[in-house]
C-alpha cells in the first residue's frame, strides 16, 4: 500500500522575493517546486498538492480594478478572483509537473480540481476582519468604496495607505473531498483547494453562495488531510526547521514537537502570526484529530531523513 | 446502465444579449441553465458539461490590459486567461448546479476539472489566424504591440478598430479524459474543457507549453465525447432546430440530418461560420467516429421528445 500525503505550499513559492510575477517567472518557479515534489513519487507516495494564492490573487484584484476603471468591465467579488487563481495556478502546476514527470520517466496522471470550502456565516471572524487584500487606497477613496460596498478598510501601519481587510473564517466541509481522496488513492496526483479553497456558505439550507473571505490555506489543507484520512500532512516552507527564539541569540531549531509543547509555544507568541503560527496550528489540528504525524520542512528536503520538524501527539 | 452524454453550451449562455456580465447576471443565468441540465438527471443520465468562454475571456483580457496599464501587473498570455475562465465559470456552474439539485432533491456530486487540450504547433491554423479576441486598438497601438509581441491584428470590417486574431487549431488529446470518463460513469457530473480547453503543445517531446490560441469548444467537446465513448453528444443553443435557407422565405427546419447531407449543406454555406457551422462540424465528427447520434437543441427542450435536430450516420 502506498502512503497518502497532503502536501501544502505557499503561493509565494511561485512569485519569489522581488519578482513581479511574470508568467515566465511563475512557470520557472513552478517547475522547481515540481522537481522537489517529484521526490514523493520516487518514494512511492500517493499525494494531493494544495497551494496558496496570496500574490496571485493580489494581482487579480488589481486587474479587476484596472478592467473596471479603464474598460468598465464589471468587478468580480473575491470568491470569483479566488476561482480565477485556482484555474491559473492549478494549470501552471499541472503542466510543469507533467513536464517534470515525463522528463524523469515517472508515470502518473495529474488532475486539478476547482474546490469550494464551506464556512459558517456566523463565524466570529466576520465580525472582526483582519486579512489585508488588494490595492492600497487613500482615505477618501477607501471611505467611498466602503460606503457603496460595505467593505472594511484598515490603515497600513507603515503609512502605505488604506487597504481592504476581509475575514479568515474556519473551514468546515471541503467539496469533492471524497473524489479527491479516491483519485489520489488511485494514484493520480490531485491539485486541490488552491488558496485555501473558495469560501462558500449557506444563505439558506438549500442555497450555497460565495463569500468575500480568505480561508487559511494551511488550515484548509490540514482539514482535507483529516477528511481524506491521509497518512501524512506536510507543509513546505523556506526554512529548514521550526525554531523557537527565532533570530535571537538562544534560537533553537526543533526536530520533533509534541502537540502540548506546540500549543504552549503558540501561546507564548513564539511563532509569527501570518507566517509560522498558522502552519503550526494546522499541524496541531491534523495530529490531534488523527494521532498521525505532520511535518513542516523545506521543499528541497522533502523526503530527506531527519529533515524538518515532525509534529507528534506526545 | 445509465447513458453517458457530453453536453456542450456557449459562454454566452451566462452573459446574454446586452448584459455586461456582472456576477449577479452570470449567476442567475447559470442557475437557469442548470435547471435545464437537471432534466438529464431526472432522465437518469450520466453526463459531462462543457462550456464556452468567449465573453468571459474577453473581459479577462481587458482586465489584464487594465491591470498592466494602471498597476504594472504583468500581462498574462491567452492560455492563462483561459485557465482563469475555466476556474471562474466552472465554479459558478458547479455552485448553481449544487443549488438546483439540492432544491429538487436530486443527489449527485459535481466536480470541475481544469483541462488542457493538446494541439499541433504545425497546424495550418497558426499560419492564418482568424479568431478575433480582446480589445480594439487604433492602428498605431496595434502596430506597436505587434512589433513587440509578434501578435497579429486585423482591422474590424465595421470600422471599430484593430483587433488581435489568434489561431483556432484542431484539438487532439484531452488531458484527464480517462478520469473525466470514469468520474462521469461513476455518477458524478463533471464540468470540463471550459472554453474548448487550454491549448498546449509539445515544444519538445518531453515539454508541454501553453500556446496563444482558441480551440473551438464544440469540436473539443465532440472529441471528448468520442474519447470517453459517450453514448450521446448534445449541443445546446438558442434556436429550436437547425435550419437550411435560414431567415429566407423557403427556410426549412430539420428534424433529422444525416452526415452526407450535413456535409453538403456545409459546403453550400448553409450554416453561418462562427455560429452554426462549427456545431454541425462537431456533430458530424462525433457521428462519423462512433456511428452514434448527436443532437443540436434548445436548452429548454433538452429532454423533450422530438426536439432539436438529430444527426445520424445515414
Amino acid at each position: 500500500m502506498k502512503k497518502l500525503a497532503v502536501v501544502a505550499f505557499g503561493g509565494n513559492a511561485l512569485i519569489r522575493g522581488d519578482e513581479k510575477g511574470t508568467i515566465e517567472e511563475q512557470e520557472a518557479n513552478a517547475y522547481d517546486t515540481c522537481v522537489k515534489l517529484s521526490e514523493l513519487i520516487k518514494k512511492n507516495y500517493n499525494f494531493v498538492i494544495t497551494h496558496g494564492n496570496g500574490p496571485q490573487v493580489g494581482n487579480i484584484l488589481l486587474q479587476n480594478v484596472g478592467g473596471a476603471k479603464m474598460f468598465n468591465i464589471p468587478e468580480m467579488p473575491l470568491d470569483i478572483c479566488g476561482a480565477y487563481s485556482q484555474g491559473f495556478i492549478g494549470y501552471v502546476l499541472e503542466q510543469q509537473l507533467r513536464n517534470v514527470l515525463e522528463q524523469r520517466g515517472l508515470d502518473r496522471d495529474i488532475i486539478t480540481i476547482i474546490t469550494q470550502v464551506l464556512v459558517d456565516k456566523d463565524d466570529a471572524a466576520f465580525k472582526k476582519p483582519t486579512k489585508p487584500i488588494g490595492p492600497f487606497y487613500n482615505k477618501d477613496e477607501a471611505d467611498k468604496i466602503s460606503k457603496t460596498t460595505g467593505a472594511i478598510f484598515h490603515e497600513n501601519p507603515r503609512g502605505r495607505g488604506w487597504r481592504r481587510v476581509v475575514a479568515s473564517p474556519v473551514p468546515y466541509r471541503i467539496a469533492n473531498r471524497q473524489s479527491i481522496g479516491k483519485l489520489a488513492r488511485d494514484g493520480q496526483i490531485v491539485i486541490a483547494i488552491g488558496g485555501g479553497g473558495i469560501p462558500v456558505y449557506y444563505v439558506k439550507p438549500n442555497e450555497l453562495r460565495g463569500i468575500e473571505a480568505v480561508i487559511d490555506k494551511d488550515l484548509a489543507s490540514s482539514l482535507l488531510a483529516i477528511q481524506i484520512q491521509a497518512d501524512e500532512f506536510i507543509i513546505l516552507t523556506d526554512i529548514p526547521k521550526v525554531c523557537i527564539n527565532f533570530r535571537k541569540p538562544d534560537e533553537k531549531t526543533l526536530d520533533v514537537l509534541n502537540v502540548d509543547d506546540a500549543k504552549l509555544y503558540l501561546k507564548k507568541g513564539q511563532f509569527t502570526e501570518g507566517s509560522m503560527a498558522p502552519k503550526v496550528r494546522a499541524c496541531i489540528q491534523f495530529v490531534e484529530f488523527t494521532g498521525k504525524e505532520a511535518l513542516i520542512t523545506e521543499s528541497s528536503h522533502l523526503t530527506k531523513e531527519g529533515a524538518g520538524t515532525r509534529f507528534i501527539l506526545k
Side-chain angles (χ1 to χ4, degrees), chain A residues 139-151:
Chain A
K139 187 156 187 348
D140 285 352
E141 287 173 319
D143 282 347
K144 202 176 149 194
I145 298 169
S146 187
K147 258 182 201 154
T148 49
T149 65

Side-chain angles (χ1 to χ4, degrees), chain A residues 88-134:
Chain A
F88 164 29
I89 302 170
Y91 159 61
V92 170
L93 279 176
E94 179 178 321
Q95 183 170 80
Q96 297 309 319
L97 190 53
R98 284 183 187 275
N99 289 340
V100 167
L101 300 196
E102 184 70 35
Q103 288 156 19
R104 280 160 181 69
L106 299 168
D107 201 11
R108 295 277 195 105
D109 206 1
I110 307 154
I111 187 165
T112 303
I113 294 169
I114 298 297
T115 325
Q116 302 178 39
V117 174
L118 188 67
V119 302
D120 180 0
K121 69 169 189 274
D122 296 325
D123 194 304
F126 288 111
K127 293 189 183 70
K128 206 186 150 191
T130 54
K131 179 96 187 164
I133 58 155

Side-chain angles (χ1 to χ4, degrees), chain A residues 59 66 111 133 156 179 190-191 228 251 270 282 304-305 314:
Chain A
N59 284 353
I111 187 165
I133 58 155
N156 178 270
S179 301
V190 184
I191 299 171
I228 66 172
E251 176 177 301
Q270 281 283 0
K304 203 166 139 186
E305 199 68 39
K314 40 180 87 189

Side-chain angles (χ1 to χ4, degrees), chain A residues 176-193:
Chain A
N176 300 121
R177 63 197 175 284
Q178 286 178 317
S179 301
I180 293 168
K182 194 167 182 312
L183 286 161
R185 275 177 221 281
D186 285 349
Q188 302 237 16
I189 298 166
V190 184
I191 299 171
I193 49 170

Side-chain angles (χ1 to χ4, degrees), chain A residues 9 13 16 32-33 35-37 39 235-239 297-303:
Chain A
F9 64 87
R16 294 178 186 166
D32 284 352
T33 300
V35 168
K36 291 161 190 167
L37 290 169
E39 291 299 315
I235 298 179
L236 299 182
T237 180
D238 48 8
I239 57 145
T297 191
E298 218 172 1
S299 53
S300 47
H301 293 154
L302 181 49
T303 59

Side-chain angles (χ1 to χ4, degrees), chain A residues 159-214:
Chain A
R160 294 180 60 192
W162 289 71
R163 201 168 178 208
R164 195 171 160 207
V165 287
V166 296
S168 188
V170 173
Y172 284 88
R173 204 162 63 217
I174 293 165
N176 300 121
R177 63 197 175 284
Q178 286 178 317
S179 301
I180 293 168
K182 194 167 182 312
L183 286 161
R185 275 177 221 281
D186 285 349
Q188 302 237 16
I189 298 166
V190 184
I191 299 171
I193 49 170
I198 307 169
V200 299
Y201 73 106
Y202 279 107
V203 195
K204 289 184 256 176
N206 61 3
E207 187 183 337
L208 278 172
R209 188 181 293 172
I211 191 162
E212 299 208 286
V214 169

Side-chain angles (χ1 to χ4, degrees), chain A residues 13-14 25-35 92-93 96:
Chain A
L14 305 192
E25 287 164 351
Q26 296 200 58
E27 282 178 350
N29 294 335
Y31 187 88
D32 284 352
T33 300
C34 290
V35 168
V92 170
L93 279 176
Q96 297 309 319

Side-chain angles (χ1 to χ4, degrees), chain A residues 35-297:
Chain A
V35 168
K36 291 161 190 167
L37 290 169
S38 73
E39 291 299 315
L40 285 172
I41 300 172
K42 294 189 191 161
K43 295 268 181 181
N44 220 17
Y45 272 84
N46 284 327
F47 59 103
V48 178
I49 299 171
T50 68
H51 58 83
N53 70 349
Q56 292 83 2
V57 91
N59 284 353
I60 290 168
L61 283 161
L62 290 170
Q63 290 174 333
N64 253 279
V65 173
K69 293 212 169 162
M70 283 189 65
F71 302 105
N72 213 14
I73 303 295
E75 266 187 76
M76 291 292 133
L78 189 55
D79 59 321
I80 301 294
C81 296
Y84 276 25
S85 79
Q86 285 192 355
F88 164 29
I89 302 170
Y91 159 61
V92 170
L93 279 176
E94 179 178 321
Q95 183 170 80
Q96 297 309 319
L97 190 53
R98 284 183 187 275
N99 289 340
V100 167
L101 300 196
E102 184 70 35
Q103 288 156 19
R104 280 160 181 69
L106 299 168
D107 201 11
R108 295 277 195 105
D109 206 1
I110 307 154
I111 187 165
T112 303
I113 294 169
I114 298 297
T115 325
Q116 302 178 39
V117 174
L118 188 67
V119 302
D120 180 0
K121 69 169 189 274
D122 296 325
D123 194 304
F126 288 111
K127 293 189 183 70
K128 206 186 150 191
T130 54
K131 179 96 187 164
I133 58 155
F136 290 96
Y137 294 93
N138 65 40
K139 187 156 187 348
D140 285 352
E141 287 173 319
D143 282 347
K144 202 176 149 194
I145 298 169
S146 187
K147 258 182 201 154
T148 49
T149 65
I152 296 166
F153 287 81
H154 283 179
E155 192 173 5
N156 178 270
R158 277 159 295 174
R160 294 180 60 192
W162 289 71
R163 201 168 178 208
R164 195 171 160 207
V165 287
V166 296
S168 188
V170 173
Y172 284 88
R173 204 162 63 217
I174 293 165
N176 300 121
R177 63 197 175 284
Q178 286 178 317
S179 301
I180 293 168
K182 194 167 182 312
L183 286 161
R185 275 177 221 281
D186 285 349
Q188 302 237 16
I189 298 166
V190 184
I191 299 171
I193 49 170
I198 307 169
V200 299
Y201 73 106
Y202 279 107
V203 195
K204 289 184 256 176
N206 61 3
E207 187 183 337
L208 278 172
R209 188 181 293 172
I211 191 162
E212 299 208 286
V214 169
I215 300 172
D216 180 83
K217 75 112 178 53
D218 295 307
L219 210 56
S221 303
S222 158
L223 182 66
L224 177 69
I226 294 166
Q227 293 188 343
I228 66 172
Q229 285 139 48
D231 301 297
E232 290 182 28
F233 174 53
I234 303 170
I235 298 179
L236 299 182
T237 180
D238 48 8
I239 57 145
K241 282 177 198 284
V242 177
C243 298
I244 50 170
N245 308 324
F246 186 50
R247 285 179 180 163
K248 287 177 189 159
D250 54 347
E251 176 177 301
K252 188 185 162 194
T253 59
L254 303 169
D255 296 321
V256 182
L257 186 55
N258 70 47
V259 164
D260 287 342
D261 287 349
K263 285 181 177 174
L264 194 68
Y265 291 145
L266 267 175
K267 213 172 174 179
K268 288 185 175 167
Q270 281 283 0
F271 309 123
T272 317
E273 285 306 328
S275 172
M276 190 52 80
K279 293 180 178 55
V280 170
R281 277 190 205 102
C283 288
I284 291 173
Q285 176 179 265
F286 179 76
V287 174
E288 273 198 327
F289 261 82
T290 64
K292 298 168 192 166
E293 292 186 9
L295 180 71
I296 296 180
T297 191

